[in-house]
Amino acid sequence: MRRTIVAALAAAAIVLGTAGCGASPAAVTPPVPTESSPPPVPPTPAVDVPVTAATPAPARQPVPPVRVVAASIGVDMPVVPVGVEPEGFMELVEDPAIAGWYRFGSDSAASEGNVVISAHVDSPDYPIGPLSRLRDLSAGAEIEVTDAAGTAHRYAVASVTYYPKTELPVDALFARSGGRALVLITCGGEYDPAVGRYTDNVVAIATPVS
């Protein structure tokens, strides 16, 4: 192996030596343009390549809903953004006359996901709330949600369902991707004084009306 490497290096030295010694100065000097020679033409791109900014597009700012109206059951409520309670439940305004929009989900102007709006059915210090009539919504009834930009978004009721609280399909109702829908939630069923809550949830799902 060593003899092969030595032989290869020797051959390379011979090639380099003969190239340096055997070439005349005229043979290695690049031609010099004369005054009559045309100037070199810069290359022309064969394909135009668009340039896109490397910075990511700014995140879309949600437009909170501020009002929900279901005229067929006499519901006309202000809506405020809400979050999550320490126990993991969706936060709700104490006054049943004010609905809460789940601010970590989609808004009415979003291209996908569910707009979740909820309110208490009643409260010890307030009269019974408008969403106590949610169970009376009929299929096809119109619901209108107005956002902070003043845009009214119309929906048609697709279903009204009672769920035991332990069986509420939270992942599906609070989905932030997939098809667009409006989800209205309140309490229903029997009141359980032992835990201070109703046994069920009443859920109305409505789809956008173009």
Side-chain angles (χ1 to χ4, degrees):
M1 178 67 73
R2 184 174 181 181
R3 292 180 180 177
T4 302
I5 296 174
V6 172
L9 292 176
I14 292 173
V15 172
L16 293 176
T18 55
C21 297
S24 62
V28 295
T29 303
V32 178
T34 61
E35 293 182 0
S36 59
S37 302
V41 179
T44 302
V47 179
D48 290 330
V49 180
V51 177
T52 304
T55 54
R60 175 186 170 276
Q61 293 298 315
V63 184
V66 296
R67 183 186 181 196
V68 58
V69 176
S72 66
I73 57 172
V75 169
D76 188 344
M77 304 174 67
V79 181
V80 298
V82 297
V84 181
E85 295 178 350
E87 296 84 0
F89 298 104
M90 177 179 172
E91 182 183 15
L92 294 180
V93 182
E94 184 179 0
D95 186 350
I98 302 174
W101 163 64
Y102 185 62
R103 60 188 176 89
F104 300 115
S106 298
D107 61 289
S108 294
S111 60
E112 58 181 352
N114 294 340
V115 183
V116 180
I117 295 177
S118 182
H120 285 301
V121 68
D122 59 15
S123 181
D125 299 323
Y126 297 89
I128 192 166
L131 285 194
S132 62
R133 300 186 289 276
L134 192 63
R135 61 187 178 182
D136 298 327
L137 273 175
S138 56
E142 183 175 303
I143 302 175
E144 186 175 271
V145 176
T146 303
D147 64 27
T151 303
H153 304 268
R154 295 168 54 232
Y155 301 84
V157 174
S159 65
V160 178
T161 308
Y162 272 75
Y163 290 100
K165 286 187 180 291
T166 56
E167 299 176 15
L168 191 69
V170 176
D171 291 343
L173 296 178
F174 286 79
R176 287 177 284 192
S177 60
R180 297 169 57 221
L182 170 67
V183 177
L184 299 180
I185 306 175
T186 193
C187 292
E190 298 295 327
Y191 181 76
D192 185 350
V195 295
R197 294 182 182 273
Y198 286 89
T199 57
D200 299 334
N201 282 120
V202 183
V203 179
I205 296 178
T207 53
V209 175
S210 55

